[in-house]
Amino acid sequence: MTSPAVWSSAWAIALAAAQADGRELLDPAAQKQSVPEGPYWLMETASSTSDRAGAGEPVNLEDGTVWLHLMVPRGTGTLTALTSRKAMSDAFRAVMKEAETTRPASLPVGLYYHDHSFDPPNLNQDGDRVRFSLGIDYEYQDILQ
């Protein structure tokens, strides 16, 4: 289960990066009836583990991946998509760099973004869009109430 704090943080960072790039960020559960004609971002999360740090510990440890998928109309070109994906990746890296001196508001205490992975598009996929994915691994240490 992805914690609401993780989702909210990732959403705030991704939304700012998408808007700076002139793109829209869509929530897959928002049931939007239409999608933009041009490239747009889609965000989802996948937590791989979530458990207490140890018996009797008040800290819950969660780790997983924030997935951001840039959906590009066929014929748009790869370089534009790669440039947008790098800008999104840089936005998350900038938040972590800023956290070295001051904790940004978009980064809750106990949340850390780590490795980034870049999933290549599947040029054999059906449809009129090509997917360029960015995976951002995270760790979240939550104090249980």
Side-chain angles (χ1 to χ4, degrees), residues 35-144:
V35 295
E37 289 185 27
Y40 65 90
W41 286 98
L42 185 66
M43 187 178 108
E44 60 183 344
T45 58
S47 54
S48 56
T49 62
S50 180
D51 203 358
R52 289 210 177 185
E57 288 288 327
V59 176
N60 191 67
L61 300 176
E62 174 185 325
D63 66 5
T65 304
V66 173
W67 282 103
L68 290 149
H69 308 290
L70 180 60
M71 306 303 291
V72 178
R74 289 187 186 278
T76 302
T78 299
L79 184 57
T80 301
L82 294 177
T83 302
S84 289
R85 186 170 66 179
K86 176 150 182 3
M88 182 64 76
S89 175
D90 288 349
F92 279 83
R93 292 183 195 283
V95 167
M96 290 313 299
K97 180 156 182 53
E98 183 183 347
E100 293 174 3
T101 55
T102 308
R103 195 105 185 142
S106 61
L107 192 63
V109 173
L111 177 58
Y112 302 91
Y113 295 111
H114 297 293
D115 298 334
H116 293 204
S117 57
F118 304 92
D119 188 26
N122 176 358
L123 299 179
N124 292 322
Q125 69 192 32
D126 293 334
D128 59 354
R129 298 216 180 238
V130 177
R131 176 187 49 79
F132 289 80
S133 295
L134 165 63
I136 303 162
D137 294 339
Y138 74 87
E139 176 185 323
Y140 181 50
Q141 302 169 9
D142 186 21
I143 303 291
L144 300 174

